[in-house]
């Protein structure tokens, strides 16, 4: 039989795909085009093309409780036209819940091929037509779907049955599904934080014109507006990620929904109103925004504050007693408000996002390049300590996104900055520095961007995996909600888009992507690996994983210190010394699209009591 694996799942059928007449099952890592062929980036090069099955085909899956089992379908009615698709798990009862998504085929600017990514939630059963009138692809013969099977925490371990039915005219195809639920439960706490970054909210009206127009002039203070923000948080939360919105610009201008309204000057400056801030953040900070999700309510783990050189005090008065008075007074009021509300489960970030070349302020707050700029960080550290009581239960953290000078700043800003978001290439030759700053209790993340949809489906795993193997706390996708001007019919690859606007499909909230689903499945796997590591050791588990990925040990995922690193950072370029280590980092990208399958087999062997 063929073996097809997907997240917290084994499709124990054969190494390729399974066809029952014209209903084709693929693993999560093998996307298909509108003509039923696996897209080029996902093809397994060793001659593995889809095999053929028969009408009584059965797929066998494994999954853990409180987790998802995922696979893809290619529906190919023999004569096209109308069809219906039903993922029927009624016999499994309420503890196995099937979610069905129709994939959108994006027409690529480069190459002209069609690649699926956006996932439109549809009713199950679903009735459709080929060619699909929305996607408008000439001579389309196949429609791709994504299936999520959610196994509840309460499900009893054992075997459950279901089936997938395709009806087209008088013809029908059936794939029987046998799902084995293991005793293990996906842990609530994620092994790493995968963060999805964005800026402001002005783009929401552009992506949701119908919703914006129906709300009138007051869209940015309407319930629909705040509900939409919360919907983005829910989407990423349900996919085992976090969502970050920076609420101020490079020159310090603050969005009114991101900060309390201020009044007065000098020692009399104070918070005049918490109205918009609380409408925005209260459901996120007390967790109620997630009450109806499968993961249940919990506060968001991190949130940007709008503290910057221009807020809450004007940078015109920098260094004057009035600046200190305004800053400490307002920050102190923020701490008190958060404490009284019980918002103690979130880390509130003081973060500077400006660069001197943007001409807003005369120093670099983001990716600082010059030693003299450290003085500003130290002074803000002093002001924060003055404003916030030492015994406050509210968690304020001082974040810095670092690259050029990270090695020096780990030392020069010790005790000031305690949250480091690091450029991956430079951090790659500093494993000892990572150990040291984590030992003193600092948070360490790395950052990069999502892969384009033209890359292999499993490319989304690379950066979160790098973070986990390195033993850091998280990974930031820089910009994740910014689709190209026409992602549907003229896509540029959507490198900064993991969630698409649902407005086009009558959904007044974001819809997920295939890449986001695969990333969620990885985080569930990493959570299970952390659980396994408690029985053995974290080092042993990491070594087992890297061995199965590319025959290496975790130490090989770091890079030797490049020669260019000996120069002062102000003499570096974007290509040296970072360019010197990129070949070493890139070599890990050269692996089969379904490389994670072997690791997942290891996870299930361990959970079922397999030997080392």
């Amino acid at each position: 039989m063929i073996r097809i694996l997907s997240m917290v799942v084994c499709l124990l059928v054969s190494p390729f795909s399974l066809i029952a007449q014209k209903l084709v099952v693929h693993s999560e890592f093998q996307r298909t085009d509108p003509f039923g062929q696996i897209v080029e980036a996902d093809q397994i090069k060793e001659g593995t093309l889809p095999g053929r099955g028969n009408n009584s085909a059965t797929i066998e899956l494994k999954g853990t409780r409180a987790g998802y089992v995922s696979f893809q379908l290619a529906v190919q009615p023999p004569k096209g036209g109308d069809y219906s698709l039903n993922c029927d798990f009624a016999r499994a009862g309420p503890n196995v819940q099937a979610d069905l998504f129709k994939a959108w085929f994006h027409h690529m600017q480069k190459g002209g091929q069609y690649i699926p990514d956006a996932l439109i939630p549809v009713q199950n059963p679903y009735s459709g037509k080929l060619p699909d009138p929305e996607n408008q692809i000439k001579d389309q013969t196949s429609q791709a779907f994504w299936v999520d099977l959610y196994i509840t925490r309460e499900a009893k371990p054992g075997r459950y049955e279901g089936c997938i039915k395709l009806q087209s005219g008088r013809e029908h195809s059936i794939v029987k599904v046998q799902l084995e639920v293991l005793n293990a439960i996906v842990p609530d706490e994620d092994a790493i934080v995968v963060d999805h970054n964005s800026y402001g909210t002005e783009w929401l009206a552009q992506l949701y014109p119908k919703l914006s127009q129906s709300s009138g002039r007051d869209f940015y203070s309407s319930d629909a507006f705040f509900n939409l923000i919360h919907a983005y948080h829910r989407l990423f939360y349900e996919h085992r990620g976090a969502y970050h919105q920076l609420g101020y610009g490079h020159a310090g201008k603050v969005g009114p929904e991101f900060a309390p309204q201020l009044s007065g000057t000098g020692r009399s400056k104070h918070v005049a109103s918490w109205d918009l801030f609380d409408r925005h953040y209260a459901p996120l900070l007390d967790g109620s925004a997630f009450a109806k999700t499968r993961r249940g309510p919990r506060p968001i783990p991190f949130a940007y504050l709008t503290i910057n050189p221009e807020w809450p005090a004007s940078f015109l008065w920098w260094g004057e007693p009035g600046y200190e008075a305004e800053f400490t007074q307002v920050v102190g009021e923020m701490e008190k408000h958060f404490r009284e509300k019980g918002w103690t489960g979130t880390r509130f970030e003081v973060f500077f996002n400006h660069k001197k070349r943007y001409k807003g302020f005369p120093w670099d707050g983001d990716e600082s390049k010059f030693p003299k700029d450290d003085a500003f960080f130290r002074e803000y550290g002093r002001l924060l300590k003055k404003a916030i009581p030492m015994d406050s239960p509210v968690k304020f953290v001082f974040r810095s996104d670092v690259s050029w000078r990270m090695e020096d700043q780990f030392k020069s800003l010790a005790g000031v900055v305690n949250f480091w978001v690091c450029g991956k290439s430079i951090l790659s030759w500093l494993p000892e520095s990572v150990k040291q700053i984590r030992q003193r209790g600092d948070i360490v993340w790395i950052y990069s961007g999502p892969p384009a949809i033209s890359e292999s489906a499993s490319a989304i795993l690379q950066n979160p995996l790098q973070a986990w193997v390195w033993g850091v706390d998280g990974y930031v996708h820089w910009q994740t909600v910014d689709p190209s001007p026409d992602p549907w019919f003229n896509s540029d690859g959507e490198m900064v888009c993991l969630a698409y606007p649902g407005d086009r499909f009558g959904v007044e909230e974001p819809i997920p992507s295939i890449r986001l689903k695969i990333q969620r499945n990885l985080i569930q796997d990493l959570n299970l690996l952390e659980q396994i590591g408690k029985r053995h050791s974290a080092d042993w588990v990491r070594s087992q994983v890297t061995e199965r990925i590319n025959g290496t040990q975790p130490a090989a995922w770091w890079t030797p210190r490049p020669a260019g690193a000996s120069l002062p950072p102000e003499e570096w370029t974007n290509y040296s010394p970072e360019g010197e280590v990129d070949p070493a980092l890139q070599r890990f990208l050269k692996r089969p699209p379904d490389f994670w399958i072997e690791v997942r087999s290891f996870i299930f062997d361990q959970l079922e009591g397999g030997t080392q």
Side-chain angles (χ1 to χ4, degrees):
M1 295 196 309
I2 302 178
R3 177 179 292 253
I4 307 174
L5 296 111
S6 61
M7 150 28 274
V8 185
V9 57
C10 295
L11 286 148
L12 300 176
V13 215
S14 145
F16 322 123
S17 307
L18 182 111
I19 303 178
Q21 286 189 1
K22 295 295 181 178
L23 180 59
V24 189
V25 182
H26 295 281
S27 81
E28 67 190 277
F29 302 113
Q30 290 187 301
R31 300 164 296 176
T32 55
D33 67 17
F35 313 103
Q37 300 300 308
I38 295 174
V39 301
E40 183 177 359
D42 295 344
Q43 291 178 6
I44 303 169
K45 303 304 181 184
E46 293 78 18
T48 54
L49 297 176
R52 291 190 174 274
N54 54 58
N55 293 347
S56 60
T58 299
I59 59 172
E60 298 180 6
L61 301 88
K62 287 185 181 180
T64 56
R65 296 183 289 163
Y68 288 87
V69 168
S70 303
F71 54 92
Q72 299 191 60
L73 297 173
V75 172
Q76 302 171 13
K79 298 179 182 179
D82 296 332
Y83 67 90
S84 65
L85 178 68
N86 184 11
C87 295
D88 184 2
F89 286 84
R91 293 179 60 189
N95 288 324
V96 177
Q97 302 165 11
D99 300 334
L100 185 61
F101 300 85
K102 186 176 80 169
W104 181 274
F105 294 107
H106 303 261
H107 184 260
M108 308 302 295
Q109 290 178 11
K110 295 182 179 179
Q113 69 269 43
Y114 291 95
I115 302 177
D117 192 50
L119 294 175
I120 307 159
V122 295
Q123 289 186 337
N124 181 27
Y126 171 77
S127 295
K129 185 176 183 178
L130 282 178
D132 180 63
E134 290 185 312
N135 224 156
Q136 302 175 26
I137 300 171
K138 184 179 179 181
D139 299 325
Q140 178 185 4
T141 59
S142 179
Q143 177 61 55
F145 290 86
W146 179 281
V147 179
D148 271 339
L149 300 181
Y150 178 70
I151 305 170
T152 68
R153 183 181 298 269
E154 296 74 26
K156 293 182 179 180
R159 188 169 290 269
Y160 295 79
E161 294 184 352
C163 67
I164 305 165
K165 303 175 183 177
L166 171 64
Q167 185 77 36
S168 177
R170 295 183 177 181
E171 298 184 23
H172 71 274
S173 302
I174 297 177
V175 174
K176 296 180 181 178
V177 181
Q178 293 185 348
L179 171 64
E180 183 181 353
V181 175
L182 304 182
N183 187 53
I185 297 175
V186 177
D188 290 331
E189 297 300 323
D190 291 328
I192 60 170
V193 176
V194 176
D195 184 65
H196 304 83
N197 190 62
S198 72
Y199 298 94
T201 54
E202 292 182 1
W203 49 273
L204 287 172
Q206 299 172 4
L207 296 187
Y208 295 85
K210 297 175 185 176
L211 185 63
S212 174
Q213 291 168 9
S214 66
S215 300
R217 292 183 178 181
D218 298 326
F219 173 63
Y220 287 98
S221 61
S222 67
D223 288 343
F225 170 68
F226 289 108
N227 290 340
L228 187 55
I229 292 175
H230 298 158
Y232 271 88
H233 279 273
R234 274 193 296 273
L235 179 71
F236 289 113
Y237 175 77
E238 281 282 68
H239 288 81
R240 292 277 177 178
Y243 180 51
H244 254 86
Q245 284 181 288
L246 185 65
Y248 70 89
H250 290 303
K253 183 181 178 181
V254 171
E257 70 275 21
F258 288 95
Q261 181 182 342
L262 303 182
S263 182
T265 59
R267 295 185 185 279
S268 66
K269 195 161 195 176
H270 65 283
V271 174
S273 174
W274 288 99
D275 178 52
L276 289 180
F277 182 93
D278 284 0
R279 288 177 67 191
H280 180 170
Y281 283 105
L284 303 173
L285 300 175
D286 65 18
S288 59
F290 312 111
K292 296 181 180 180
T293 66
R294 284 168 172 158
R295 295 185 66 193
R298 62 169 55 192
I300 56 175
F302 292 86
Y304 287 124
L305 295 176
T306 49
I307 293 173
N308 71 78
E310 188 63 22
W311 194 96
S314 172
F315 196 69
L316 285 172
W317 313 117
W318 174 255
E320 300 292 333
Y323 189 96
E324 180 169 332
E326 292 186 353
F327 185 95
T328 55
Q329 172 68 18
V330 173
V331 173
E333 286 191 56
M334 296 175 76
E335 185 279 333
K336 180 181 178 182
H337 184 72
F338 298 168
R339 176 165 33 90
E340 290 176 346
K341 290 287 188 179
W343 296 337
T344 58
T346 300
R347 289 180 171 86
F348 296 97
E349 300 163 52
V350 177
F351 166 65
F352 299 121
N353 190 49
H354 63 275
K355 290 183 173 70
K356 183 177 179 178
R357 66 177 180 267
Y358 300 154
K359 300 180 180 180
F361 306 106
W363 58 287
D364 287 339
D366 181 45
E367 298 182 313
S368 178
K369 190 173 182 180
F370 302 100
K372 64 180 182 180
D373 293 341
D374 284 359
F376 289 92
F377 287 91
R378 295 192 191 99
E379 177 62 4
Y380 276 107
R382 184 186 72 82
L383 295 176
L384 287 169
K385 288 180 180 178
K386 183 176 180 180
I388 302 167
M390 289 186 62
D391 60 350
S392 173
V394 181
K395 301 180 181 70
F396 284 80
V397 291
F398 198 159
R399 166 176 168 169
S400 183
D401 288 14
V402 290
S403 58
W404 312 84
R405 293 187 53 245
M406 72 171 69
E407 186 173 14
D408 290 338
Q409 288 181 308
F410 289 158
K411 301 172 185 176
S412 65
L413 296 180
V416 178
V417 171
N418 57 3
F419 182 6
W420 306 90
V421 180
C422 307
K424 182 179 69 173
S425 296
I426 296 175
L427 192 69
S428 71
W429 69 77
L430 299 173
E432 292 305 316
S433 294
V434 171
K435 290 180 183 178
Q436 292 169 7
I437 59 178
R438 292 202 73 221
Q439 284 174 355
R440 70 189 187 210
D442 291 1
I443 301 167
V444 184
W445 289 0
I446 59 174
Y447 65 84
S448 185
I453 59 179
S454 55
E455 299 179 51
S456 70
S458 59
I460 192 71
L461 306 182
Q462 172 61 29
N463 286 309
L465 261 179
Q466 191 88 56
W468 181 76
V469 171
W470 281 356
V472 301
D473 303 288
Y475 163 66
V476 179
H477 283 296
W478 179 82
Q479 190 61 299
T480 49
V481 293
D482 189 17
S484 57
D486 183 5
W488 315 111
F489 299 102
N490 195 30
S491 172
D492 68 359
E494 313 312 318
M495 288 188 67
V496 288
C497 179
L498 287 176
Y500 294 87
D503 195 72
R504 177 185 190 87
F505 309 105
V507 181
E508 294 182 347
E509 58 186 49
I511 60 176
S513 61
I514 289 176
R515 291 168 296 162
L516 186 62
K517 294 283 184 185
I518 292 174
Q519 179 181 266
R520 175 205 63 197
N521 295 348
L522 170 73
I523 301 306
Q524 293 186 147
D525 283 348
L526 295 182
N527 293 354
L528 293 168
L529 286 166
E530 291 289 293
Q531 195 174 65
I532 294 167
K534 293 177 181 178
R535 299 205 306 262
H536 299 279
S537 74
D539 290 341
W540 179 83
V541 167
R542 281 172 171 75
S543 68
Q544 294 296 311
V545 171
T546 57
E547 172 67 30
R548 284 165 173 78
I549 291 175
N550 54 13
T552 65
Q553 289 299 297
W557 287 52
W558 299 91
T559 63
R561 187 182 187 88
S566 62
L567 296 172
E570 57 265 29
E571 296 183 25
W572 292 3
T573 69
N574 286 333
Y575 304 100
S576 177
E578 289 182 82
E580 298 175 54
V581 302
D582 281 345
L585 293 173
Q586 291 295 321
R587 75 183 188 274
F588 291 108
L589 301 180
K590 297 177 181 179
R591 51 198 175 204
D594 59 350
F595 75 92
W596 191 246
I597 286 177
E598 188 174 351
V599 178
R600 193 165 288 148
S601 295
F602 164 75
I603 293 171
F604 284 120
D605 286 346
Q606 291 296 313
L607 293 176
E608 293 178 296
T611 61
Q612 298 183 17

